[in-house]
């Protein structure tokens, strides 16, 4: 018998729809029931691709004894953290306050007023049963202590919503941030820190932009080393492209196998910009393969992109992806099997579990041989149990994908990437904009009820602005401007900062905001970046000032913990560099195409490009910029200073290099 989750749009909630636990979705109805029964709320937060969420579900939430204890003594609420990041942020703040760390599954016990009084993460079945007994005893026998604890934790959570203190991010701050970050890099294995090791997408983009602005060779070296180490390691799917969420070791050998849209969209863009900077064949290959993964494995029938592939297949983590020497020999024959084992670091001892290995590609094999072997291994792997797909379409993450594919399509000459970005943008604007307000997610063409957060507005606007530059279509610029106006009115404060939720959103314990960048850009930095790009494309001083204020509002993390302010610093590098604006005017001919190729190959931080006929409607950068002597021309500006128009690629290259 299904519980109350059967009608949910979230794949994570639907995974729990047949649990014997009487789950409810987040909402006032659940808390009203808790008040009526005078029992605590058990809040469980996770997401569909989370391995340990599945483990706790199998051990506890599918167990009749556990279900009886939960149903009799609590009101159980299940939340998809990806669909309701606001709820997740509030109670993750409570969890880290109480325990010093967080993660998923997140397990919180709340008063009927929503105040958390005990928080944790994963609990094995027997420990969870004891915890249920302990919480029940405290609630019935020591109620005053419980409510005092809840009030104390709530006060701590509310302090996280305090106004941001602006701190100027100038050239000196940018230089110091780059030095601090490069000093923290792992010189042997790439990346930062030890195990587990996460792809540092935004920090790599920050360092690429810093190198482009200053010529700092150390910044570029860190990016090259880290990108090669990740691309050759087990964290990268050597057969189908795309990156796993993180590496459980410090050398990128064994991944946690879930593959997230937001990671792959950001990494695609980083490798694309590395290719643009260095011409690296490895970086270009990773871009094409990762874009191929997005289009083949994450694209939904409606034209959006699904959130993730699960870490598990058939209930076993990594089952789809690992190999043994014997299996390679069976598939490829003894000679090719032995050669593949050497090339791919597949050993009898195993790198993942005893006897099984992830695939690494520490050197480039013969390309003809590798193309044949790779195709045969991919074919065999497709016959194995496959990971489940979380097919909800999240606004922010699709915005990241739109930006990456639009840029990759223009730089690599791949119209299919641009068309995929266009179809995705069309879907999100058609389905997720409801009565002028943005929603967080949809599934199978049905939009959810959760409102969009700040990052949804910033990341989608960033994607639309990249698509505008790739296609010359005015509608994307107009839509981005509308999103930014809404964000400024509904999410902003008087310091240049942004809350994560709108001023008319559901009232939680606090109005969450976090200026630090995590695995994806914070709402604060995503809006700063989109404001910066929009200002450059339109010449709007108001949006330029808002971008500068948004960067300075996150200046504290940028100064103190620059590795956790990667996108803020990347935006600040763009502002410090101008950013560079290039208008290429001309008829659709070879001369204009040559100037456009030169412009798109430039590495200036935050570079914006407009290409089209003189005074093309809906393209402000092309206004009042005529042909020169009847020929196609390029106009280059930095900030508020413009160079003379040029008509040759040599002159344009010199201006861009300057």
């Amino acid at each position: 018998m299904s519980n109350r989750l059967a009608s949910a749009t979230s794949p994570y909630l639907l995974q729990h729809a047949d649990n014997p636990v009487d789950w409810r979705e987040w909402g006032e109805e659940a808390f009203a029931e808790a008040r009526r029964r005078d029992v605590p709320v058990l809040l469980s937060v996770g997401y569909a691709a989370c391995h340990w969420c599945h483990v706790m579900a199998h051990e506890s939430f599918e167990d009749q004894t556990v279900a009886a204890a939960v149903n009799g003594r609590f009101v159980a609420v299940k939340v998809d953290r990806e669909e309701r990041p606001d709820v997740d942020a509030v109670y993750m703040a409570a969890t880290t306050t109480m325990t010093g760390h967080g993660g998923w599954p997140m397990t919180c016990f709340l008063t009927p007023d929503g105040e958390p009084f005990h928080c944790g993460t994963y609990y094995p079945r027997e420990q969870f049963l004891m915890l249920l007994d302990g919480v029940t005893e405290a609630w019935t026998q020591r109620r005053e202590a419980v409510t005092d604890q809840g009030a104390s934790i709530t006060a701590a959570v509310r302090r996280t919503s305090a106004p941001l203190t602006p701190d100027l991010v100038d050239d000196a701050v940018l230089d110091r941030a780059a030095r601090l970050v490069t000093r923290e890099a792992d010189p042997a294995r790439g990346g930062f820190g030890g195990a587990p090791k996460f792809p540092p997408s935004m920090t790599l983009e920050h360092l690429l932009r810093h190198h482009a602005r200053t010529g700092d060779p150390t910044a570029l070296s860190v990016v090259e080393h880290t990108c090669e180490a990740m691309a050759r390691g087990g964290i990268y799917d050597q057969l189908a492209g795309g990156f796993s969420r993180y590496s459980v070791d410090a050398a990128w050998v064994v991944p946690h196998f879930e593959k997230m849209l937001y990671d792959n969209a950001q990494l695609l863009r980083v490798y694309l910009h590395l290719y643009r900077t260095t011409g690296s064949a490895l970086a270009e290959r990773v871009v094409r393969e990762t874009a191929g993964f997005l289009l083949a494995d994450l694209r939904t029938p409606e034209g959006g992109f699904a959130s993730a592939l699960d870490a598990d297949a058939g209930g076993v983590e990594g089952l789809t992806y690992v190999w043994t020497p014997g299996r390679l020999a069976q598939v490829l024959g003894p000679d090719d099997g032995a050669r593949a084992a050497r090339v791919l670091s597949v050993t009898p001892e195993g790198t993942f579990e005893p006897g099984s290995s992830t695939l690494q590609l520490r050197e480039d094999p013969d390309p003809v041989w590798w193309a044949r072997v790779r195709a045969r291994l991919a074919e065999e792997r497709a016959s194995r149990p496959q990971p489940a797909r979380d097919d909800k379409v999240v606004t922010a993450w699709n915005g990241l994908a739109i930006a990456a594919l639009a840029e990759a399509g223009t730089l690599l000459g791949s119209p299919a990437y641009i068309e995929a970005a266009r179809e995705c943008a069309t879907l999100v604007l058609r389905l997720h904009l409801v009565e002028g307000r943005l929603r967080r997610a949809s599934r199978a063409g049905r939009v959810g009820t959760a409102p969009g957060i700040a990052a949804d507005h910033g990341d989608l606007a960033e994607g639309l602005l990249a698509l505008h530059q790739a296609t010359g279509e005015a509608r994307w610029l107009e839509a981005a401007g509308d999103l930014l106006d809404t964000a400024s009115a509904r999410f902003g404060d008087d310091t240049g900062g942004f809350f994560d939720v709108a001023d008319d959103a559901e009232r939680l314990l606090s109005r969450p905001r976090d200026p630090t960048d995590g695995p994806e850009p914070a709402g604060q930095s995503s809006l700063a970046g989109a404001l910066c790009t929009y200002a450059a494309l339109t010449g709007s001083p108001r949006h330029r000032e808002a971008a500068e204020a948004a960067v300075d509002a996150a200046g504290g993390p940028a100064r103190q913990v620059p590795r956790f302010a990667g996108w803020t610093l990347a935006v600040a590098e763009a502002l410090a560099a101008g950013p560079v604006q290039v208008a290429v005017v001309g008829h659709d001919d070879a001369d204009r195409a040559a100037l456009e190729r030169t412009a798109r190959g430039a590495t200036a931080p935050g570079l914006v490009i407009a290409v089209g006929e003189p005074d093309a409607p809906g393209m402000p950068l092309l206004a009042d910029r005529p042909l020169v002597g009847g020929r196609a021309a390029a106009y280059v500006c930095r900030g508020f200073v413009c160079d003379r128009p040029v008509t040759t690629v040599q002159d344009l290259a010199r201006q861009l290099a300057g």
Side-chain angles (χ1 to χ4, degrees):
M1 179 177 177
S2 297
N3 55 40
R4 292 173 175 82
L5 303 185
S7 61
T9 56
S10 160
Y12 175 64
L13 268 57
L14 291 172
Q15 289 173 354
H16 294 268
D18 293 320
N19 290 171
V21 173
D22 187 15
W23 294 113
R24 298 168 184 259
E25 293 194 60
W26 176 272
E28 174 54 31
E29 181 184 355
F31 289 95
E33 178 65 9
R35 286 191 291 271
R36 186 188 71 79
R37 290 173 51 196
D38 191 30
V39 295
V41 170
L42 165 62
L43 173 66
S44 177
V45 183
Y47 58 102
C50 167
H51 171 71
W52 288 105
C53 300
H54 299 329
V55 173
M56 190 165 179
H58 296 323
E59 290 180 345
S60 295
F61 302 141
E62 296 172 5
D63 181 85
Q64 294 291 345
T65 300
V66 173
V70 170
N71 295 341
R73 296 182 249 159
F74 302 90
V75 170
V77 174
K78 178 65 75 172
V79 167
D80 182 342
R81 66 168 294 264
E82 297 172 346
E83 194 171 60
R84 290 300 304 264
D86 52 343
V87 174
D88 178 67
V90 167
Y91 291 100
M92 186 58 72
T95 300
T96 55
T97 297
M98 291 191 70
T99 68
H101 60 85
W104 300 275
M106 178 166 59
T107 307
C108 299
F109 295 89
L110 320 178
T111 71
D113 293 325
E115 294 190 341
F117 61 87
H118 186 90
C119 300
T121 52
Y122 162 75
Y123 294 96
R125 177 184 180 277
E126 296 306 317
Q127 187 178 348
F128 188 53
L129 281 169
M130 289 189 291
L131 177 62
L132 295 176
D133 290 340
V135 169
T136 301
E137 188 274 334
W139 181 256
T140 56
Q141 303 299 321
R142 294 178 281 116
R143 179 73 62 90
E144 184 177 352
V146 167
T147 55
D148 286 348
Q149 172 83 337
S152 175
I153 296 300
T154 298
V157 169
R158 285 174 175 156
R159 286 195 289 272
T160 65
S161 296
L164 301 176
T165 302
D167 198 348
L168 180 66
V169 181
D170 57 14
D171 287 2
V173 172
L174 292 174
D175 291 344
R176 179 177 178 273
R179 287 196 304 273
L180 289 175
V181 169
T182 55
R183 287 173 188 168
E184 293 178 5
D186 183 339
R189 296 160 296 199
F192 302 89
K197 188 172 277 186
F198 290 79
S201 307
M202 288 165 283
T203 291
L204 296 177
E205 181 68 27
H206 157 221
L207 292 177
L208 276 173
R209 291 187 179 194
H210 184 73
H211 165 75
R213 184 176 67 86
T214 68
D216 180 359
T218 304
L220 179 59
S221 176
V222 168
V223 176
E224 290 180 302
H225 181 40
T226 298
C227 284
E228 179 162 4
M230 291 192 299
R232 295 196 179 281
I235 193 174
Y236 183 68
D237 188 339
Q238 304 297 342
L239 300 185
F243 292 85
S244 294
R245 178 70 196 92
Y246 62 87
S247 174
V248 302
D249 60 279
W252 311 106
V253 175
V254 178
H256 186 56
F257 290 92
E258 59 187 346
K259 294 167 93 172
M260 312 300 295
L261 173 60
Y262 56 76
D263 284 320
N264 283 283
Q266 291 178 94
L267 286 166
L268 193 159
R269 209 174 183 192
V270 166
Y271 279 86
L272 179 70
H273 294 166
L274 178 61
Y275 164 69
R276 185 177 64 185
T277 300
T278 66
S280 164
L282 174 65
E284 182 186 8
R285 173 172 67 80
V286 169
V287 170
R288 294 186 184 278
E289 291 174 357
T290 301
F293 161 70
L294 293 183
L295 297 180
D297 291 349
L298 292 187
R299 203 170 186 195
T300 69
E302 298 77 28
F305 290 93
S307 296
L309 296 185
D310 207 323
D312 300 357
V316 180
E317 185 179 10
L319 178 65
T320 306
Y321 302 103
V322 296
W323 296 81
T324 65
R327 188 59 186 150
L328 289 175
Q330 289 175 350
V331 174
L332 300 173
D335 292 340
D336 278 346
R339 183 178 178 184
R342 290 193 301 273
V343 169
L344 295 168
S345 303
V346 176
T347 66
E349 299 77 21
T351 58
F352 172 56
E353 291 178 343
S356 65
S357 297
T358 62
L359 301 186
Q360 304 171 64
L361 195 65
R362 296 299 178 182
E363 59 184 38
D364 292 324
D366 173 74
V368 175
W369 175 85
W370 173 235
R372 174 173 57 83
V373 166
R374 184 172 182 256
R376 181 68 188 93
L377 294 179
E379 180 184 11
E380 194 282 336
R381 197 178 79 176
S383 68
R384 301 177 181 181
Q386 298 298 304
R389 187 171 83 162
D390 180 344
D391 57 356
K392 69 177 178 294
V393 174
V394 174
T395 300
W397 306 347
N398 276 257
L400 296 172
I402 292 166
L405 289 169
E407 281 197 24
T410 57
L411 195 60
L412 299 182
S414 298
Y417 299 167
I418 299 173
E419 184 56 31
R422 182 189 279 115
E423 290 183 11
C424 181
T426 301
L427 171 76
V428 173
L429 291 177
R430 175 180 60 80
L431 190 60
H432 291 206
L433 269 177
V434 180
E435 297 179 352
R437 298 298 294 276
L438 198 58
R439 298 279 179 89
R440 172 67 174 171
S442 66
R443 181 172 182 264
R446 175 186 167 201
V447 70
T449 59
I453 61 171
D456 292 314
H457 291 74
D459 289 336
L460 180 57
E462 177 82 6
L464 296 176
L465 294 171
L467 187 57
H468 167 72
Q469 295 175 75
T471 64
E473 295 169 357
R475 55 177 169 154
W476 312 122
L477 180 66
E478 180 181 356
D482 291 342
L483 288 171
L484 293 174
D485 286 346
T486 298
S488 296
R490 292 293 187 179
F491 295 83
D493 62 19
D494 57 5
T495 70
F498 291 94
F499 289 95
D500 289 336
V501 298
D503 56 1
D504 58 351
E506 176 187 355
R507 294 300 182 195
L508 302 173
L509 292 184
S510 68
R511 189 179 178 190
R513 68 154 129 213
D514 184 357
T516 60
D517 295 312
E520 55 185 298
Q524 180 74 31
S525 61
S526 70
L527 285 167
L531 287 163
C532 173
T533 304
Y534 186 84
L537 284 168
T538 62
S540 167
R542 174 171 66 90
H543 290 87
R544 167 82 187 207
E545 292 165 4
E548 292 171 340
V551 165
D552 290 345
R559 285 175 178 265
Q560 297 159 18
V561 284
R563 197 150 60 84
F564 300 95
W567 196 246
T568 293
L569 289 163
V571 176
E573 289 285 354
L575 290 168
V580 176
Q581 304 159 298
V582 183
V584 178
V585 294
H587 306 307
D588 189 7
D589 57 18
D591 287 343
R592 192 183 83 178
L595 291 171
E596 179 182 355
R597 281 195 302 273
T598 301
R600 295 201 187 276
T603 61
L607 173 77
V608 298
I609 299 171
V611 181
E613 300 281 344
D615 296 308
M619 300 191 74
L621 281 188
L622 303 184
D624 301 319
R625 284 174 167 155
L627 304 181
V628 175
R631 299 178 60 188
Y635 294 76
V636 177
C637 302
R638 287 177 175 81
F640 304 102
V641 179
C642 297
D643 296 331
R644 63 177 178 83
V646 295
T647 58
T648 69
V649 295
Q650 294 82 2
D651 286 340
L652 176 56
R654 277 193 291 271
Q655 287 187 351
L656 292 169

